[in-house]
Amino acid sequence: LNLTVHNKGIIIYPNGLTGPDIKNNVQRVRFVSAPDDIITVMVSVANLAEERQPFSLVVSGCIRVGPAPPSTVPSTHPTAKYRPSFSPSKTDAPSKTLSMEPSYIPSSRPSFTTLKSLRISHKSKILRFEKSNMFDIIPKRNLRLTNISIHMIATGGRILEIWSRRGSWNEAPNDESKWEFLGSKEVTGGGVRKYTSIDASWLNFFMEAGKIYGFYIRFGDGLRGLVTSVSKIKVASVYKQNKYIEILTGPSPTALFGNSNSYLYEWQGKLKYLICENCSNDNLCIENDKDKFYLKTKKDGQVILKTCKYLSYKKN
């Protein structure tokens, strides 16, 4: 799906691009409008693997809402013959019989996801303020990264960028083409030894157990401000871990994908992620593509793949 905003004959594309964003399923358009502007927001179909594709659209800002309800008829011809339903789906009527005791048997599909976190605190008394951090994450279980918090010295607003890649940062520290730009957000720091949460909608990152994922966090203005500490261990060594995830050391490039100084750093912050409790030795979740996990199980003696309902993330 492609998101575009039309204003006075000008087409505004998402995520700061000059054309459609063909990589990200979370797209955002930010713009300044004048009074009495009529803004048209369009969600068009680029390519569908299925007959229907649900999606969500959020609009924020100073908006004047008229007395008439929004029209369900598109202003131009739709690019696909399928449209989302505007009538709610029917559900079974709730039971009118009260239960005296809570039931321990789920009445519908259970949730097997558990929210976990890994907190990295300063151990060194000497604090360093750097422009960026590169580091690796190795999940021990299949998980979905949902949020990142950082340590930043400034209490004012700064634009923070996050990049990632499948594989270690050490394989392409200076090659931007080997990295994927996840997104940027203006964050307001809480100061030293206080977490600053990114809390961005585009932070839905799927990670397969045993694989290496490189991360690159930097300020968009290229100035210092990330609180970090110099590591005393080797390159790409584990300095923080729990039973779900490992964090490895990395450099601090002085410019965008530029050279680093002679130090090796331990990124400081906090990770939040979802764990699929349905994964076990008998039912092993595997990542088949970027957006879905599949449950490897057996039926009638044959191994089959079934979509994991708890880690797979459908475009919405």
Side-chain angles (χ1 to χ4, degrees):
L1 300 182
N2 289 330
L3 172 68
T4 53
V5 172
H6 301 250
N7 184 14
K8 298 178 179 178
I10 300 175
I11 301 177
I12 308 174
Y13 293 97
N15 301 337
L17 301 178
T18 57
D21 190 337
I22 62 174
K23 294 184 178 180
N24 297 301
N25 57 11
V26 177
Q27 301 183 10
R28 180 178 68 171
V29 176
R30 301 180 67 182
F31 61 94
V32 178
S33 62
D36 298 325
D37 273 359
I38 298 178
I39 308 298
T40 302
V41 180
M42 297 187 63
V43 178
S44 58
V45 174
N47 185 24
L48 289 182
E50 300 175 354
E51 291 183 345
R52 299 178 183 272
Q53 178 60 68
F55 65 92
S56 298
L57 182 65
V58 178
V59 180
S60 63
C62 298
I63 304 169
R64 185 175 66 187
V65 181
S71 172
T72 59
V73 180
S75 56
T76 58
H77 294 292
T79 54
K81 64 180 181 179
Y82 297 102
R83 292 187 302 174
S85 173
F86 290 92
S87 58
S89 58
K90 296 182 179 180
T91 58
D92 295 333
S95 173
K96 297 181 180 179
T97 304
L98 297 177
S99 175
M100 299 301 294
E101 297 181 359
S103 172
Y104 294 95
I105 302 176
S107 57
S108 58
R109 186 179 69 186
S111 173
F112 286 94
T113 55
T114 304
L115 186 63
K116 304 286 185 180
S117 64
L118 177 62
R119 179 175 180 269
I120 308 170
S121 303
H122 270 293
K123 295 181 180 180
S124 173
K125 295 181 180 180
I126 301 177
L127 305 179
R128 293 187 64 89
F129 311 121
E130 300 298 338
K131 301 177 180 180
S132 64
N133 279 123
M134 277 187 180
F135 57 95
D136 287 337
I137 297 178
I138 303 178
K140 301 178 183 180
R141 290 273 299 275
N142 293 325
L143 55 86
R144 176 157 64 94
L145 183 66
T146 60
N147 194 21
I148 296 178
S149 298
I150 63 170
H151 281 156
M152 58 183 290
I153 184 174
T155 56
R158 300 279 297 277
I159 300 296
L160 191 77
E161 299 177 357
I162 299 182
W163 302 67
S164 70
R165 69 180 309 271
R166 183 71 175 265
S168 174
W169 64 264
N170 204 22
E171 298 171 355
N174 307 115
D175 190 350
E176 182 178 343
S177 65
K178 302 296 184 182
W179 292 75
E180 178 183 358
F181 179 64
L182 294 183
S184 63
K185 184 178 180 180
E186 182 176 358
V187 294
T188 301
V192 178
R193 303 186 189 280
K194 292 184 179 180
Y195 290 115
T196 300
S197 175
I198 308 304
D199 195 24
S201 60
W202 38 264
L203 270 178
N204 275 289
F205 196 84
F206 297 86
M207 309 178 77
E208 184 180 354
K211 303 295 183 180
I212 302 177
Y213 297 85
F215 279 83
Y216 181 26
I217 298 178
R218 69 182 297 269
F219 286 121
D221 55 17
L223 301 178
R224 298 179 184 272
L226 284 173
V227 181
T228 186
S229 60
V230 177
S231 179
K232 297 181 180 179
I233 58 179
K234 297 179 180 179
V235 175
S237 297
V238 176
Y239 68 92
K240 185 70 175 182
Q241 65 177 316
N242 58 20
K243 64 179 181 180
Y244 300 112
I245 201 166
E246 295 178 342
I247 313 296
L248 286 70
T249 56
S252 174
T254 55
L256 181 61
F257 293 101
N259 295 325
S260 177
N261 54 35
S262 59
Y263 295 108
L264 192 65
Y265 295 91
E266 297 176 1
W267 172 75
Q268 307 292 314
K270 185 177 182 180
L271 304 175
K272 283 189 176 181
Y273 45 90
L274 283 173
I275 296 294
C276 181
E277 302 293 353
N278 201 35
C279 295
S280 64
N281 292 330
D282 295 329
N283 297 315
L284 177 63
C285 272
I286 59 173
E287 186 183 28
N288 197 48
D289 55 46
K290 181 180 178 182
D291 295 325
K292 290 185 179 180
F293 280 90
Y294 293 88
L295 191 65
K296 188 176 182 181
T297 184
K298 288 186 178 181
K299 183 178 181 180
D300 299 328
Q302 294 185 348
V303 176
I304 60 173
L305 293 180
K306 183 179 179 181
T307 302
C308 177
K309 302 174 183 178
Y310 312 108
L311 282 185
S312 293
Y313 178 72
K314 294 182 179 179
K315 297 178 181 179
N316 87 46

